[in-house]
Amino acid sequence: LLDIVASGNVVMEGVHDSVEYTAQAERVTYDESKSLITLEGSDYDNATLYRQERVGSPQAGVSGEKLLFNPVTNDLRIEGIEASSLGAP
């Protein structure tokens, strides 16, 4: 199984089942066994995740101190929420 850790103003992009996502954070980890992406902000800037359900649809975003995102289930847990433009599922 694959585990990835990246730090230092990380920007990542991905697609799962036609849902596109882009994230920016100070630290990003990926745990393949859980299909979990963890985004952590810094002392000065929050982590941010943007999702677009399909081409042409509006992009929704959320910022917080820590975001836990599972792209397979599309579940998102937010710790220390700053701002959100995510609509209801």
Side-chain angles (χ1 to χ4, degrees), residues 22-65:
T22 303
Q24 182 174 5
E26 179 61 27
R27 185 172 196 266
V28 176
T29 60
Y30 174 68
D31 181 343
E32 185 177 31
S33 68
K34 299 176 185 176
S35 297
L36 184 66
I37 299 169
T38 302
L39 309 163
E40 298 176 65
S42 68
D43 292 339
Y44 308 104
D45 201 11
N46 286 316
T48 304
L49 174 69
Y50 295 98
R51 293 186 288 187
Q52 186 174 23
E53 297 294 325
R54 60 190 170 281
V55 175
S57 68
Q59 194 177 56
V62 65
S63 294
E65 293 173 13

